[in-house]
Amino acid sequence: MLRIKNLNKSYNTRKVLDNLTFNIQPGEVYGLLGANGAGKTTTINIICNLLKADHGHITINNQPISENTKKLIGIAPQENLLYKTLSCAENLQFFADIYGLDKLTKQKQIETTLKAVNLSDRINSPVETLSGGMQRRLNIAVALVHQPQLIILDEPTTGLDIEARYEIWELINQLKNQGLTILLTTHLLDEAERLCNRIGILKNGKILAEGSLSELKKFIPGEEVLVLQTSEEEEAISIAEKWGFPIRRYGGDLAFLLPEPLELKEILTKFDTIPIDSISRQPIRLEHIYVEITKE
Ligand code: ATP
């Protein structure tokens, strides 16, 4: 559906996209995961033909990106693109007019998209009377109104409270189940983990690794993470070295990667020469993979 090959972009002398390459298959949710400044918004602006790349190729449904391909894409930008004094229906009507929907299709699409984002009962409410989560859902409805082939959700839950975030996740899962193709950018690891079929880890304008969560797990030399709190960290590290457990720090916590899941008794026996304040075992998660891949 979307093919991006060797995309390069510099602002003055600063390179922000560096031979960026990835593909999105029809019906998949692809997560572009990267820290602030990694190049996510620049990539989106180029896909939407709002910004020109210096080099590289992008096609959507085998057509090179141009003014003509804009209608194939629906975007929900990071900052809501809504008119606050207009109602939900009026906002959708405005965007439907931009895309040239005829009167009947427009009416049907306003009703369908408001239903999809669970705002049918607010059809005539001005945007300024909606909660932050509702406004974000309406922002997604705007992206859907002209029935595009690819939906781009740029950091869809940034700044929302946890309840509103769950609602957006539920909505994205519904869109996914309907077979929509979605490019989702986020810096939230749990969001990418929950929603995406495949994830591309972006740093300094380059995809460092991509794949499904299970494919990305191969970047970690271990099957399980063991987090240990002890007053004898140096001794714990030398025990881990003796057993060949790779040593890591996650947010300051001392952790070891276990090559295979071990019985707790077995672990305690290995560390029985030091005092242990706490021990926790965690499955490999995207946060561990992300740290592994993005470390220098
Ligand atoms: P964020 O999550 O903070 O939005 P991002 O991954 O979307 O980050 P971009 O907005 O694409 O990153 O920015 C990539 C880099 O390019 C950043 O260092 C940013 O400062 C720089 N940049 C973006 N737009 C411009 C511009 N118009 N002129 C100069 N530099 C820019």
Side-chain angles (χ1 to χ4, degrees):
M1 153 85 52
L2 182 75
R3 292 179 178 275
I4 297 189
K5 192 149 188 248
N6 294 336
L7 209 61
N8 284 277
K9 176 75 190 169
S10 297
Y11 292 112
N12 300 319
T13 54
R14 189 151 179 268
K15 195 160 218 181
V16 294
L17 296 184
D18 184 8
N19 280 329
L20 181 73
T21 298
F22 66 94
N23 296 325
I24 306 184
Q25 307 303 328
E28 113 174 312
V29 179
Y30 187 96
L32 203 52
L33 186 67
N36 290 339
K40 304 182 293 292
T41 306
T42 301
T43 306
I44 289 177
N45 287 341
I46 295 173
I47 297 171
C48 294
N49 204 34
L50 300 171
L51 191 67
K52 286 267 172 263
D54 301 333
H55 303 283
H57 299 283
I58 310 190
T59 57
I60 175 160
N61 278 352
N62 297 319
Q63 299 176 55
I65 290 291
S66 69
E67 278 303 297
N68 291 336
T69 56
K70 274 187 175 173
K71 60 180 182 304
L72 302 178
I73 301 168
I75 175 157
Q78 227 174 95
E79 301 290 333
N80 293 341
L81 194 61
L82 300 170
Y83 294 91
K84 298 241 167 185
T85 54
L86 299 184
S87 70
C88 293
E90 287 164 340
N91 267 280
L92 290 174
Q93 198 164 343
F94 176 79
F95 288 100
D97 284 340
I98 289 180
Y99 286 103
L101 267 58
D102 64 58
K103 205 171 164 199
L104 260 178
T105 315
K106 184 164 65 179
Q107 201 48 44
K108 185 179 141 272
Q109 276 305 102
I110 291 173
E111 282 165 25
T112 310
T113 49
L114 281 178
K115 188 160 177 242
V117 301
N118 201 15
L119 284 174
S120 299
D121 56 340
R122 305 303 295 261
I123 186 163
N124 294 316
S125 304
V127 168
E128 60 198 1
T129 65
L130 305 179
S131 70
M134 288 175 179
Q135 291 190 22
R136 200 60 72 90
R137 298 210 303 272
L138 183 61
N139 197 43
I140 295 178
V142 165
L144 298 169
V145 76
H146 61 291
Q147 297 180 284
Q149 312 238 334
L150 171 73
I151 315 289
I152 300 178
L153 305 176
D154 192 6
E155 308 216 356
T157 64
T158 299
L160 295 184
D161 63 34
I162 191 68
E163 223 167 288
R165 182 167 288 176
Y166 282 144
E167 283 168 2
I168 298 279
W169 286 348
E170 203 182 319
L171 166 61
I172 296 172
N173 266 325
Q174 280 166 14
L175 299 176
K176 180 179 175 178
N177 292 338
Q178 286 165 22
L180 280 171
T181 309
I182 300 176
L183 168 62
L184 178 125
T185 76
T186 185
H187 57 262
L188 301 172
L189 297 150
D190 56 342
E191 182 160 294
E193 200 166 35
R194 272 164 191 260
L195 302 174
C196 301
N197 301 103
R198 285 192 308 136
I199 295 163
I201 296 182
L202 184 71
K203 190 176 177 187
N204 298 332
K206 235 182 172 48
I207 299 273
L208 299 184
E210 78 169 358
S212 65
L213 193 58
S214 60
E215 286 164 349
L216 289 172
K217 278 185 182 160
K218 69 172 189 286
F219 288 92
I220 288 247
E223 290 283 317
E224 200 175 53
V225 178
L226 178 75
V227 180
L228 205 72
Q229 280 191 331
T230 172
S231 52
E232 302 283 341
E233 284 200 345
E234 276 183 27
E235 182 55 21
I237 289 170
S238 48
I239 295 171
E241 279 169 347
K242 186 176 101 187
W243 291 103
F245 300 161
I247 298 144
R248 297 290 183 270
R249 291 266 176 196
Y250 297 116
D253 287 346
L254 178 63
F256 306 122
L257 302 177
L258 302 181
E260 57 190 350
L262 299 174
E263 293 289 332
L264 183 61
K265 216 171 110 195
E266 225 177 313
I267 296 170
L268 290 173
T269 310
K270 290 187 180 356
F271 290 93
D272 66 358
T273 54
I274 57 165
I276 290 175
D277 300 330
S278 84
I279 194 162
S280 84
R281 300 163 66 184
Q282 300 168 5
I284 302 286
R285 299 206 42 196
L286 188 55
E287 65 173 275
H288 306 122
I289 299 168
Y290 184 83
V291 169
E292 201 73 19
I293 290 170
T294 56
K295 69 179 193 263
E296 292 307 322

